[in-house]
Amino acid sequence: MAASIQRTVRILFRLSSSTLQPLRQYPSSLQRLPIRTCPGLPLLVPPSHFFCKAASLHEDADQAAEALSRYKDRPWDYPESEEYIERYGTSPVWEGYRRNHKGGIPPQQTRKTCIRGDKICGNPCPICRDPNIIIHHQNVKLLQQFISPHTGMVYDSTRTGVCMKQQKKLNEAINTSQDHGLLPFQIPFVEFSREDYSNSHDAVGSTPSPQSLTSGDTWYKWYSEIMPDENEVAKVKKTYKAYLK
C-alpha cells in the first residue's frame, strides 16, 4: 500500500514539473498574468498570445467610436453607408419592431423615453437602439421614413414604436426641414367662391353709404356727450407740458 502511494506521488510530481517547465522560460511578472486561451491555440502558450482577443475587441471598439463620431458630425451619411444597408436594407428602421409588454393587449402609448441617464431599457425603440441614428433636419432619408407618402402626415408613434422623446424630436426636425425646403409638404386646395366675398346674395345686405360729416362733428354722436374728468386732463397736460407749447 505504501509503495503504491509513493508511485502515485512520483508520477504527479513529474507531471507538475513538466507542465510548469514552459512557464519558467518567461519572467515572473508575466507568470502572474491570467491565462486566457484563444480559439485554435493550446492551453499553454506564450504570453504574447494572451492578448489576441483583447486586441481585437479594442480594434472593434475604436472602429465603432470612429464611426459614431463621423455620423455625429454628418448624420445624413449613415443611411447611405454599407453598415446601414446591411442592417436594414431598403426597409424603414421601424419595420418589424415590436415592443415587449405584458399580456396580449399592447399599451396605448409608447414609453416616455428609452434612456434614463446611463441606463437603457431592455427593448429600446427603433431610434434609441441604434446609436448611429441621429435625428437632424438635414437627415432627409431618415425623416421620410416617418412620413406617409399618401397623406404627407407624420406617422403616429403607436405605429412606429418610437418613444415620446424621440417622437417630439422627429416632429421638430420634420417641421424645420419643411421650413428650409428640404422636405415637401402639401397645402390643402380650397376652391374659391365669389359668393363668399360679395354682398349681392341674401345673407348680406347692401353696405350703406357713409354719412356726411361737417367740420367739428364726431362720427359717433355719443362721443361728443362724454365729458372727461378735469383732474385727469390736468395730469395729462402736466405730463406733456413740454409738447403742448
Side-chain angles (χ1 to χ4, degrees), residues 194-207:
R194 294 183 179 276
E195 296 181 357
D196 297 338
Y197 301 94
S198 65
N199 56 1
S200 59
H201 52 85
D202 299 336
V204 180
S206 59
T207 305

Side-chain angles (χ1 to χ4, degrees), residues 5-59:
I5 293 175
Q6 290 180 0
R7 279 186 209 149
T8 306
V9 171
R10 290 177 183 175
I11 292 172
L12 290 175
F13 179 77
R14 290 175 184 174
L15 289 175
S16 61
S17 61
S18 62
T19 303
L20 296 175
Q21 183 65 26
L23 294 177
R24 296 174 183 172
Q25 300 176 1
Y26 304 101
S28 60
S29 60
L30 294 179
Q31 294 180 10
R32 299 174 185 174
L33 295 174
I35 299 177
R36 299 179 183 177
T37 60
C38 296
L41 293 177
L43 178 61
L44 297 175
V45 293
S48 60
H49 296 279
F50 292 164
F51 305 98
C52 63
K53 189 181 241 182
S56 63
L57 291 176
H58 283 303
E59 291 178 0

Side-chain angles (χ1 to χ4, degrees), residues 91-99 126 129 159-160:
S91 304
V93 295
W94 53 267
E95 185 175 352
Y97 173 79
R98 184 180 182 276
R99 177 185 172 185
R129 67 184 177 184
R159 178 175 181 178
T160 59

